[in-house]
Amino acid sequence: MTAKEIKVPDIGDFEDVPVIEVLVNEGDTVAVETPLITLESDKAAMDVPSPEAGTVQRIIVGVDDKVSRGSPILTLEVEDSGEQTEDGDLSRTEDDSTPETAPKSDADAVESGTGQARADTESERETKAGTSDTGEPRSRPTPPLDEIPRKGPMPHASPSVRRFSRELGIDINQVEGSGRKGRILKDDVQSWVKNRIHEAAPAPASGEGPALPEIPDIDFSQFGEVEVVPLGRIKKLTAVNLHRSWLHVPHVTQHEEADITELEEFRRKLKEEAAERGVRVTLLAFLMKACVAALREYPRFNASLEKGGENLVVKKYYNIGIAVDTPGGLVVPAIRNVDRKGIYELAEELGDVSQRTRDKKLSPNDLQGAGFTISSLGGIGGTAFTPIVNAPEVAILGVSRAQMKPVYQDGEFVPRLMLPLALSYDHRVVDGADGARFVVFLSKALEDARRLLL
Ligand code: CAO
């Protein structure tokens, strides 16, 4: 191993150019072309690459030192090459007395990059490639930096900062430098990016988080006849609520099918008796009871996340919101204390509340206090849908139309009435495993209505 002194190569007509960055440390292993220091003249910043591979032994220059061609940069411990100099040394060493500013010749002067500095633009780099195809230093120096064609004045920035801005896709000419003599630092590039991001995001409407990019306002009449229909009050309110929930709540929807063959049989048997009482018992009353059983088992579903996300407010009451379709839009009244009410009572209350909802006779109190919501589209049809959580509740059950399906049981297919369930939940509060447990519990409860009594 031999110690070689690495010197500043031919950098054109520049004298006393300041070192703005030392890119290696003592002990670093460098390859041929590894940048060692960055110089910055009035015209350009340039990396000085290593002419040889080896280990950095001693760094001679420091930031703000002024260097010229031949100034020592560092000593490099390199493998012996077998080449001998005139005086029998294997190479120039730290003791070499060759004048620093005037190397004897290209062959014996161990100049960094064999007389070229590395410029920063791709075209400049190509023009100034410092090694031959084999990676060996060229014997003839390439043109000095000031002879290289330039597209325009270069901003003051080290190649590493320019590389950084290129990686981010930023035109460095737009960045204002805060360093000495207006030099652009890495921090300047980062601040520029932060400012652009901030400017790109319109002012938040609610004070929470950035607003969304706007959907373009298009004049559709240019394509054909249109009619502009004003939205009613309920539709507008619903739009705000649903949008808010959609944006705030990370939704997951868990699907399940419940075998309600027996339950439906039971319900039909009750019909006559129910009619005598003047009530219509629909599946929904049973669904509410089954949901209460599941909420008791999994209390996190009957909860709300406190603002700030620090605590979960778990409700000890069982009030269930029911999505009711009205000509004016969707309304969700709450049926209170479902746990304390029987099927007939619930059926009666459901009938009453849905009627009052459609007649627009609900009081504000009717619309408050739910801890969990059911949205049943079973009376209309459809196989599945993904309901939106009625925040700040954490879950909602979507129910689609039950259908007779062939179900494989005990070695044969049997016709069973299968009810599609879709549980959407707030994934901040409920884990996927609990989401699945909840619907499995619910489906078991519906399969065997006796469980609802437990
Ligand atoms: N599968 C198959 N049939 C069903 C069913 C289901 N899941 N649910 C109801 N039905 C059928 C029943 O056959 C029932 O008839 P009978 O009891 O006379 O045999 C009939 O539909 C009654 O349905 P209904 O819709 O009038 O009554 P309900 O208690 O099931 O529902 C209410 C009441 C208020 C929830 C419902 O009328 C309603 O408005 N649903 C729409 C809710 C909505 O818009 N949700 C979307 C919100 S967006 O997430």
Side-chain angles (χ1 to χ4, degrees):
M1 298 290 268
T2 308
K4 285 189 175 181
E5 194 174 79
I6 309 299
K7 298 188 173 196
V8 175
D10 179 3
I11 51 173
D13 289 333
F14 300 109
E15 286 285 325
D16 294 325
V17 183
V19 175
I20 59 163
E21 240 177 315
V22 177
L23 304 165
V24 289
N25 294 309
E26 288 178 359
D28 281 0
T29 305
V30 296
V32 174
E33 285 287 299
T34 299
L36 302 175
I37 56 171
T38 305
L39 308 179
E40 190 178 59
S41 74
D42 287 339
K43 288 188 188 172
M46 60 201 114
D47 279 351
V48 176
S50 179
E52 300 228 13
T55 306
V56 177
Q57 208 175 46
R58 190 165 68 87
I59 294 173
I60 300 167
V61 289
V63 171
D64 286 336
D65 283 357
K66 301 239 168 54
V67 296
S68 308
R69 175 181 169 162
S71 301
I73 300 171
L74 49 80
T75 55
L76 196 66
E77 197 171 61
V78 298
E79 290 262 308
D80 293 335
S81 67
E83 282 176 32
Q84 290 199 347
T85 53
E86 278 172 20
D87 56 9
D89 285 341
L90 283 172
S91 68
R92 277 158 41 117
T93 67
E94 279 182 84
D95 300 332
D96 196 303
S97 57
T98 307
E100 289 175 359
T101 51
K104 279 183 273 180
S105 73
D106 288 337
D108 66 356
V110 185
E111 282 186 355
S112 171
T114 60
Q116 91 261 263
R118 197 168 62 185
D120 201 47
T121 66
E122 294 303 326
S123 61
E124 285 165 359
R125 207 175 274 150
E126 275 163 35
T127 315
K128 295 176 67 58
T131 53
S132 67
D133 292 344
T134 59
E136 293 294 317
R138 284 189 181 143
S139 56
R140 290 174 64 79
T142 49
L145 192 71
D146 57 350
E147 287 175 28
I148 297 164
R150 241 187 249 302
K151 284 178 188 158
M154 292 179 76
H156 294 282
S158 72
S160 59
V161 169
R162 264 196 235 113
R163 202 175 306 126
F164 177 60
S165 69
R166 261 206 311 276
E167 279 165 13
L168 296 175
I170 294 163
D171 175 5
I172 200 161
N173 292 297
Q174 297 190 30
V175 181
E176 205 171 312
S178 66
R180 204 165 48 85
K181 289 191 195 166
R183 187 156 65 90
I184 300 165
L185 311 173
K186 194 174 176 187
D187 280 353
D188 298 326
V189 179
Q190 284 170 332
S191 305
W192 190 90
V193 173
K194 277 185 202 155
N195 288 341
R196 289 299 92 73
I197 290 170
H198 196 68
E199 282 168 14
S206 62
E208 287 183 43
L212 293 176
E214 300 232 340
I215 292 172
D217 202 4
I218 294 169
D219 174 12
F220 297 102
S221 65
Q222 64 183 305
F223 308 116
E225 194 186 325
V226 295
E227 182 192 354
V228 178
V229 182
L231 288 182
R233 196 182 58 87
I234 295 175
K235 282 247 188 260
K236 282 197 260 188
L237 275 175
T238 311
V240 171
N241 290 342
L242 289 174
H243 192 209
R244 192 176 52 201
S245 292
W246 182 255
L247 291 176
H248 280 274
V249 176
H251 280 73
V252 175
T253 304
Q254 170 70 56
H255 297 271
E256 172 64 311
E257 274 187 331
D259 184 340
I260 56 162
T261 316
E262 263 91 54
L263 179 60
E264 185 58 10
E265 243 174 63
F266 179 57
R267 192 183 73 87
R268 286 194 181 281
K269 279 183 195 154
L270 283 183
K271 257 191 160 180
E272 216 172 294
E273 189 183 313
E276 280 169 19
R277 288 171 173 248
V279 286
R280 199 165 64 95
V281 177
T282 63
L283 191 61
L284 203 49
F286 293 97
L287 276 165
M288 290 167 78
K289 287 303 262 187
C291 283
V292 167
L295 293 174
R296 278 191 200 279
E297 193 74 13
Y298 301 100
R300 287 177 88 85
F301 289 82
N302 191 27
S304 286
L305 196 59
E306 237 181 35
K307 209 169 178 207
E310 293 288 324
N311 301 303
L312 195 61
V313 181
V314 180
K315 296 148 196 176
K316 306 285 181 184
Y317 50 83
Y318 298 91
N319 299 347
I320 296 200
I322 301 295
V324 178
D325 176 39
T326 77
L330 181 68
V331 181
V332 188
I335 308 284
R336 294 180 185 235
N337 304 315
V338 176
D339 56 317
R340 296 189 216 154
K341 294 172 181 166
I343 293 292
Y344 283 134
E345 196 178 351
L346 285 175
E348 198 176 341
E349 199 170 331
L350 264 174
D352 169 57
V353 164
S354 3
Q355 196 51 54
R356 282 195 293 124
T357 308
R358 285 173 181 137
D359 294 345
K360 300 184 188 168
K361 287 191 176 147
L362 287 180
S363 70
N365 202 36
D366 288 322
L367 294 163
Q368 289 172 359
F372 181 88
T373 294
I374 299 176
S375 174
S376 172
L377 293 173
I380 300 168
T383 54
F385 69 107
T386 53
I388 296 178
V389 172
N390 195 13
E393 293 163 30
V394 299
I396 180 168
L397 182 73
V399 184
S400 295
R401 192 170 190 80
Q403 275 187 329
M404 272 298 182
K405 285 188 176 178
V407 175
Y408 198 66
Q409 274 179 358
D410 303 325
E412 56 175 344
F413 282 104
V414 288
R416 306 293 295 177
L417 186 63
M418 305 303 289
L419 179 71
L421 303 173
L423 177 81
S424 289
Y425 57 84
D426 184 339
H427 209 353
R428 294 172 302 175
V429 178
V430 174
D431 292 336
D434 278 340
R437 285 186 192 107
F438 188 94
V439 288
V440 168
F441 182 96
L442 196 60
S443 120
K444 293 266 175 292
L446 291 166
E447 276 170 26
D448 183 356
R450 285 167 299 182
R451 281 173 170 268
L452 301 179
L453 304 172
L454 297 175

